[in-house]
């Protein structure tokens, strides 16, 4: 199996060398270990790994898990021209060699990236890990449009074509693994999940994951598109208001009443919506599909959404016996706007600006 097993390591614990021995004994492929600046105190550990047959790469200073993975990916691309791909595993003995083999074989069979996913419903899973993963999975599904049951898995089998794409993805620490998942969506890289054993040793206390700092790095990436979408919407709303005021001033001598309002409003909305479309296409969703078809989808969403806003708002007035004045009237309008805003974002992401699918990669034979 022409697959390289990649193990990033920073100040590894006592289980690291025995685990590396298990991986080597499993015969999955050459084992590449990256010492991410562990320091002189850990030099004997990595020397022992080299004597066992592992290839050891060293960072002089700690640069982060993402940097360690990218160092390994570059080494693989430069030194294994016949390599079919890599499988990344964590060195804390949480990934059983047989699970690693299963993910590796599935990658070779399908040509897809394979994520080894744990079962967070089991009783022995630490509450912090269960809550964190469920929350991140929900945020991923809502704001990215990806269904991933284990967003923090370190067991990932990546075919060579994917490695070539992922080696240039941003991020040097734990956020790199999140950026990898986002790249699956942005670059239309096919991926699948494969169930693996759910192992936590001493409630995962050996992990170097910093709950608040690293969580912020991860959620900032996941929500980045939504933040940019919001900024674009605010800019376009300001443009819409300014244009409406300008058109009203220009047309008031020729038109009046409802006709004036309709003409000024339509002109402002057409221009502001086109601006919103191109900003979302280029800056938010980074869509590379043709403009014509995507624009048609955009207006197929925008027009019904505007009508639905009116219907839902007026329907709420009737349901709650509210007159179109007062605080409750404003509250209903705001709630409807927010709900449709989030739903509109999700539809734009999943349909209007969905990335084009790449051709299926050729399946590597064993």
């Amino acid at each position: 199996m022409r697959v390289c097993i990649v193990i990033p390591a920073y100040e590894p614990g006592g289980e690291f060398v025995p685990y590396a021995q298990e991986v080597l004994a499993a015969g999955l492929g050459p084992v590449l270990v990256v010492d991410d600046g562990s320091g002189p105190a850990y030099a004997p550990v990595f020397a022992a790994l080299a004597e066992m047959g592992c290839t050891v790469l060293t960072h002089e200073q700690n640069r982060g898990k993402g940097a360690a993975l990218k160092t390994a990916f570059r080494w693989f691309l430069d030194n294994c021209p016949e390599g079919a791909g890599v499988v990344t595993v964590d060195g804390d003995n949480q990934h059983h060699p047989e699970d690693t083999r299963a993910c590796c074989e599935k990658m070779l069979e399908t040509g897809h990236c394979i994520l080894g996913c744990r079962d967070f419903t089991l009783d022995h899973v630490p509450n912090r890990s269960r809550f964190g993963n469920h929350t991140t999975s929900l945020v991923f599904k809502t704001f990215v449009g990806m269904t991933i049951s284990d967003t923090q898995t370190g067991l990932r089998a990546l075919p060579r074509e994917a490695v070539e794409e992922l080696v240039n993805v941003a991020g040097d620490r734990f956020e790199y693994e999140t950026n990898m998942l986002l790249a699956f969506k942005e670059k239309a890289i096919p991926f699948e999940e494969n169930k693996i054993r759910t192992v936590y040793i001493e409630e995962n206390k050996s992990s170097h994951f910093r709950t608040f700092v690293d969580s912020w790095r991860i959620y900032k990436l996941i929500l980045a598109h939504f933040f940019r979408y919001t900024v674009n919407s605010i800019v376009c709303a300001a443009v819409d208001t300014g244009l409406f005021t300008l058109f009203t001033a220009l047309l008031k001598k020729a038109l009046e009443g409802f006709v004036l309002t309709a003409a000024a409003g339509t002109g402002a909305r057409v221009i502001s919506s086109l601006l919103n479309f191109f900003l979302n296409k280029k800056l938010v969703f980074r869509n590379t599909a043709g403009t014509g078809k995507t624009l048609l989808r955009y207006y197929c969403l925008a027009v019904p959404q505007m009508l639905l806003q009116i219907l839902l708002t007026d329907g709420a007035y009737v349901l709650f016996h509210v007159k179109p004045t007062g605080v409750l009237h404003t509250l209903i309008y705001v709630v409807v706007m927010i709900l449709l805003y989030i739903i509109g974002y999700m539809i734009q992401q999943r349909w209007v600006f969905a990335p084009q699918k790449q051709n299926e990669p050729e399946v590597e034979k064993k």
Side-chain angles (χ1 to χ4, degrees), residues 289-309:
T291 299
K293 185 176 181 179
T294 309
L295 185 62
L296 178 60
R297 288 183 176 182
Y298 176 84
Y299 280 109
C300 284
L301 168 65
V303 174
Q305 185 175 358
M306 183 173 62
L307 297 176
L308 186 60
Q309 177 185 334

Side-chain angles (χ1 to χ4, degrees), residues 102-108 110-116 155-159 184 190-194:
C103 290
C104 179
E105 290 177 343
K106 191 169 185 178
M107 176 195 72
L108 294 172
T110 64
H112 296 175
C113 296
I114 306 299
L115 303 178
L155 177 50
R156 305 179 181 198
L158 310 170
F184 290 172
F191 73 96
E192 300 179 31
E193 294 188 346
N194 193 67

Side-chain angles (χ1 to χ4, degrees), residues 205-283:
K205 74 176 185 178
S206 65
S207 173
H208 296 286
F209 186 87
R210 298 167 295 176
T211 302
F212 295 106
V213 175
D214 291 318
S215 293
W216 164 244
R217 289 175 181 267
I218 290 170
Y219 281 104
K220 182 173 64 173
L221 293 171
I222 298 173
L223 297 173
H225 284 184
F226 186 70
F227 290 154
R228 289 198 292 268
Y229 175 78
T230 300
V231 171
N232 286 349
S233 297
I234 292 172
V235 169
C236 293
V239 170
D240 186 275
T241 302
L243 288 174
F244 177 79
T245 303
L246 175 63
F247 290 157
T248 299
L250 294 175
L251 297 174
K252 65 181 180 180
K253 292 183 179 180
L255 304 173
E256 61 181 17
F258 173 78
V259 177
L260 174 60
T261 300
T266 300
R269 183 56 54 90
V270 168
I271 295 175
S272 65
S273 64
L274 284 172
L275 175 63
N276 182 257
F277 167 79
F278 284 107
L279 288 176
N280 283 346
K281 188 177 192 298
K282 298 296 184 182
L283 301 181

Side-chain angles (χ1 to χ4, degrees), residues 144-167:
V144 183
M146 299 176 70
T147 301
I148 302 176
S149 60
D150 186 353
T151 58
Q152 297 302 311
T153 179
L155 177 50
R156 305 179 181 198
L158 310 170
R160 189 181 190 91
E161 295 79 5
V163 176
E164 292 171 348
E165 294 276 3
L166 298 172
V167 73

Side-chain angles (χ1 to χ4, degrees), residues 2-278:
R2 292 173 290 137
V3 178
C4 183
I5 312 302
V6 173
I7 312 178
Y10 173 63
E11 298 183 353
E15 75 282 351
F16 187 69
V17 172
Y19 176 68
Q21 287 178 321
E22 286 187 35
V23 175
L24 281 168
L28 301 175
V31 176
L32 176 60
V33 178
V34 181
D35 170 13
D36 186 30
S38 300
Y42 293 86
V45 173
F46 294 101
L49 292 171
E51 290 179 3
M52 288 163 39
C54 298
T55 297
V56 179
L57 306 178
T58 303
H59 290 170
E60 294 301 322
Q61 296 179 333
N62 176 250
R63 292 165 53 189
K65 186 178 183 181
L69 289 173
K70 286 191 278 189
T71 292
F73 293 170
R74 293 188 185 98
W75 186 93
F76 165 76
L77 293 173
D78 292 340
N79 294 277
C80 302
E82 300 299 322
V86 304
V87 181
T88 67
V89 298
D90 294 334
D92 53 6
N93 205 23
Q94 291 193 18
H95 299 142
H96 194 280
E98 287 306 312
D99 289 328
T100 303
R101 177 182 292 278
C103 290
C104 179
E105 290 177 343
K106 191 169 185 178
M107 176 195 72
L108 294 172
E109 290 169 2
T110 64
H112 296 175
C113 296
I114 306 299
L115 303 178
C117 295
R118 297 161 288 183
D119 184 353
F120 288 89
T121 65
L122 300 178
D123 293 338
H124 69 279
V125 176
N127 291 329
R128 181 184 68 172
S129 298
R130 179 184 293 110
F131 175 78
N133 186 77
H134 286 337
T135 302
T136 307
S137 294
L138 178 61
V139 173
F140 245 101
K141 187 175 183 65
T142 302
F143 293 99
V144 183
M146 299 176 70
T147 301
I148 302 176
S149 60
D150 186 353
T151 58
Q152 297 302 311
T153 179
L155 177 50
R156 305 179 181 198
L158 310 170
R160 189 181 190 91
E161 295 79 5
V163 176
E164 292 171 348
E165 294 276 3
L166 298 172
V167 73
N168 296 314
V169 168
D172 285 336
R173 299 194 177 275
F174 287 104
E175 76 276 7
Y176 174 67
E177 292 182 304
T178 300
N179 267 337
M180 287 173 63
L181 301 180
L182 295 173
F184 290 172
K185 176 71 177 290
E186 184 174 324
K187 300 176 182 296
I189 298 173
F191 73 96
E192 300 179 31
E193 294 188 346
N194 193 67
K195 287 296 182 183
I196 62 173
R197 294 167 177 81
T198 306
V199 179
Y200 279 94
I201 300 172
E202 296 181 341
E203 295 201 345
N204 207 28
K205 74 176 185 178
S206 65
S207 173
H208 296 286
F209 186 87
R210 298 167 295 176
T211 302
F212 295 106
V213 175
D214 291 318
S215 293
W216 164 244
R217 289 175 181 267
I218 290 170
Y219 281 104
K220 182 173 64 173
L221 293 171
I222 298 173
L223 297 173
H225 284 184
F226 186 70
F227 290 154
R228 289 198 292 268
Y229 175 78
T230 300
V231 171
N232 286 349
S233 297
I234 292 172
V235 169
C236 293
V239 170
D240 186 275
T241 302
L243 288 174
F244 177 79
T245 303
L246 175 63
F247 290 157
T248 299
L250 294 175
L251 297 174
K252 65 181 180 180
K253 292 183 179 180
L255 304 173
E256 61 181 17
F258 173 78
V259 177
L260 174 60
T261 300
T266 300
R269 183 56 54 90
V270 168
I271 295 175
S272 65
S273 64
L274 284 172
L275 175 63
N276 182 257
F277 167 79
F278 284 107

